[in-house]
Amino acid sequence: MEIIIQATQQAANEVAARIVARLLHEKPNAVLGLATGSTPLGLYQALIGMNLDWSQVTTFNLDEYIGLPREHPQSYHSFMWENLFQHVNIAKENVHIPDGNAEDIPKFCAAYEDQIRTAGGIDLQVLGIGTDGHIGFNEPTSSLASRTRIKTLTQQTCKDNARFFGSEEAVPKHVITMGIGTIMEARQNLLLAFGDNKSSAIAEAVEGPITSINPASALQMHPLVKVCLDDPAASKLQRADYYRWVYDNKPAWQIF
Ligand code: GLP
């Protein structure tokens, strides 16, 4: 894992945006895995500001609530169009977001995995992290080999996401999410976390044991992961000074 700690969220987002932009320059038809939540908003704004060419890009989103109408303001469909897709020149047919209203959910999930495979696999997956260490909606004790499937949210995640829905009860309890096994097959993972409330989840994921109790810790087994943090999210990392030292002493060809 490469841990990139920046003083501010904005600075961390700028680094993350440069990583994504470099990929799109090198591979204009890249396949991106995308995330929702408040965390990636700054990254998406930075990418929009870069005026990149998205015409050949394909995207797959990590997850979606089950049972919310697609047009619901809190559906991840609405989120992605509002915060990214309507601002870039992506082709509508290249956008893939799990269908939370699919009649046959297991069948839909298997087809989603097939679509990712047919597209050539995900080149770069953007990830946030839940306060309980979830990635996508893979809650603690998710199988580290899991594939796209239905999950039931933890009460903590319902609490965390109540701010988007007005109340905890209004948060859908079921979701479709790519599995940890699916995420582990992306060629590169880019995990973002900001704020002190993510510091414990990040410390466990980066420096703790690999355990399904903190699903993000599975990324320790992935060959190419960059973790972009602001100072507060990095505040519980025991080796933070070393990670800063590594970043400050990167060989020129590794700097993005
Ligand atoms: C959400 C999403 C995750 C996200 C996480 C953190 O519910 N399903 O993809 O990374 O929980 O959310 P936020 O970025 O709003 O803190």
Side-chain angles (χ1 to χ4, degrees), residues 164-185:
F164 298 116
F165 287 86
S167 74
E168 199 182 315
E169 295 67 45
V171 181
K173 292 180 180 54
H174 297 108
V175 296
I176 292 175
T177 180
M178 280 187 205
I180 298 175
T182 321
I183 293 167
M184 292 292 282
E185 281 175 11

Side-chain angles (χ1 to χ4, degrees), residues 118-144:
T118 305
I122 292 171
D123 291 301
L124 183 148
Q125 175 68 57
V126 176
L127 296 168
I129 187 170
T131 56
D132 58 7
H134 73 234
I135 47 176
F137 266 134
N138 293 283
E139 296 285 29
T141 72
S142 286
S143 159
L144 300 186

Side-chain angles (χ1 to χ4, degrees), residues 2 4 8 11 17-18 24 42 47 57-58 82 84-85 88 103 110 116 121 132-133 137 148 171 188-189 216 235 253:
E2 180 176 354
I4 301 167
T8 64
R18 287 202 296 276
L24 297 195
L47 290 172
V57 173
T58 297
E82 191 181 323
L84 179 62
F85 297 145
V88 297
E103 258 179 45
I116 295 174
D132 58 7
F137 266 134
T148 303
V171 181
Q188 178 172 188
N189 274 289
S235 59
W253 60 271

Side-chain angles (χ1 to χ4, degrees), residues 72 74 158-172:
H72 188 286
Q74 295 307 332
C158 292
K159 272 198 187 84
D160 288 346
N161 287 358
R163 66 190 193 279
F164 298 116
F165 287 86
S167 74
E168 199 182 315
E169 295 67 45
V171 181

Side-chain angles (χ1 to χ4, degrees), residues 190-207:
L190 178 59
L191 173 62
L192 310 176
F194 308 122
D196 179 58
N197 66 329
K198 300 292 173 70
S199 59
S200 298
I202 284 294
E204 285 171 15
V206 173
E207 296 178 335

Side-chain angles (χ1 to χ4, degrees), residues 39-59:
T39 303
L41 281 173
L43 167 64
Y44 296 158
Q45 277 157 19
L47 290 172
I48 292 164
M50 287 172 151
N51 272 326
L52 301 165
D53 180 11
W54 291 70
S55 60
Q56 299 176 63
V57 173
T58 297
T59 64

